[in-house]
Amino acid sequence: MLNEQLSKLMVEQVNKELYSAYLYLSMSNFYDEKGLKGIAFWFKTQAKEEYEHAIKFMDYLHDQNEKVTLSLIEAPKGDFSDLKEPLILQLNHEKFVTASINNIYKVATENNDYRSLKFLDWFIEEQAEEERVAQDLLEEFEHVSVDSRGIFEFSERAGARRK
Ligand code: FEO
């Protein structure tokens, strides 16, 4: 069994990871509907990773004999003002998730829960990677010429990176 607060935070993290998947699917739909299949594929792949993150937390909780009660997943933002907005929101959202993981890490530290800390190490590294990748994508977008060809090529490059 885990410390009660730690268990609660991890169950909440399952919801946050599933919300992340939902948010990125919404972004994927936005780009797909604009004919930008590459960047749509980027976000669809990202959504699958978020689903996997949720499963990792659920499996860990079950390995510790904890109960996981799933809760309502908030509807994500359904539309975006321009092609850049989802890229900004992705970076902000990853920073939010990093803060959430860091908080879980802090509680595990306070409880001298070395097993959970070892489990969480993977997420600490993953969040550094997720933020870096989101930052890179945003910076790359800022450097493309904002004509339809420039955008299309940016989208194709992003999609190719996830294949
Ligand atoms: Fe599961 Fe992108 O954080």
Side-chain angles (χ1 to χ4, degrees):
M1 296 294 279
L2 296 175
N3 161 273
E4 197 178 326
Q5 191 194 0
L6 188 59
S7 175
K8 181 172 170 285
L9 288 174
M10 285 193 183
V11 172
E12 285 172 5
Q13 191 65 32
V14 172
N15 185 281
K16 286 177 187 171
E17 300 292 345
L18 291 174
Y19 172 78
S20 302
Y22 229 33
L23 177 65
Y24 293 152
L25 281 180
S26 177
M27 292 174 176
S28 177
N29 288 343
F30 171 72
Y31 287 116
D32 210 333
E33 288 156 16
K34 300 228 174 294
L36 296 168
K37 301 270 183 210
I39 189 75
F41 181 75
W42 163 283
F43 277 106
K44 211 176 286 171
T45 306
Q46 193 64 35
K48 286 182 188 163
E49 282 192 10
E50 301 301 352
Y51 175 79
E52 290 298 326
H53 295 171
I55 300 290
K56 268 184 197 288
F57 271 104
M58 281 200 312
D59 287 348
Y60 181 73
L61 283 156
H62 284 152
D63 285 348
Q64 311 310 312
N65 292 318
E66 293 291 333
K67 180 164 172 53
V68 179
T69 302
L70 296 175
S71 52
L72 195 68
I73 304 168
E74 191 188 332
K77 187 172 163 64
D79 201 10
F80 303 93
S81 56
D82 55 31
L83 294 173
K84 187 175 167 183
E85 192 187 7
L87 304 176
I88 297 168
L89 294 179
Q90 175 184 219
L91 179 58
N92 290 344
H93 184 69
E94 288 304 330
K95 288 180 177 174
F96 162 77
V97 173
T98 297
S100 180
I101 298 281
N102 286 349
N103 186 47
I104 299 173
Y105 201 94
K106 177 171 158 278
V107 173
T109 304
E110 287 164 357
N111 284 280
N112 297 323
D113 185 341
Y114 303 112
R115 188 182 301 163
S116 291
L117 288 170
K118 198 119 183 84
F119 165 74
L120 289 165
D121 277 342
W122 185 88
F123 281 94
I124 297 286
E125 283 180 25
E126 176 71 3
Q127 280 313 118
E129 169 78 6
E130 300 256 278
E131 280 191 39
R132 185 183 61 71
V133 165
Q135 178 80 52
D136 286 352
L137 197 63
L138 177 58
E139 282 172 7
E140 186 179 337
F141 183 86
E142 281 168 345
H143 287 96
V144 299
S145 54
V146 194
D147 58 22
S148 56
R149 186 182 175 84
I151 298 285
F152 181 76
E153 287 174 354
F154 161 80
S155 169
E156 290 298 294
R157 278 196 303 278
R161 265 191 255 149
R162 304 310 295 253
K163 282 178 180 151

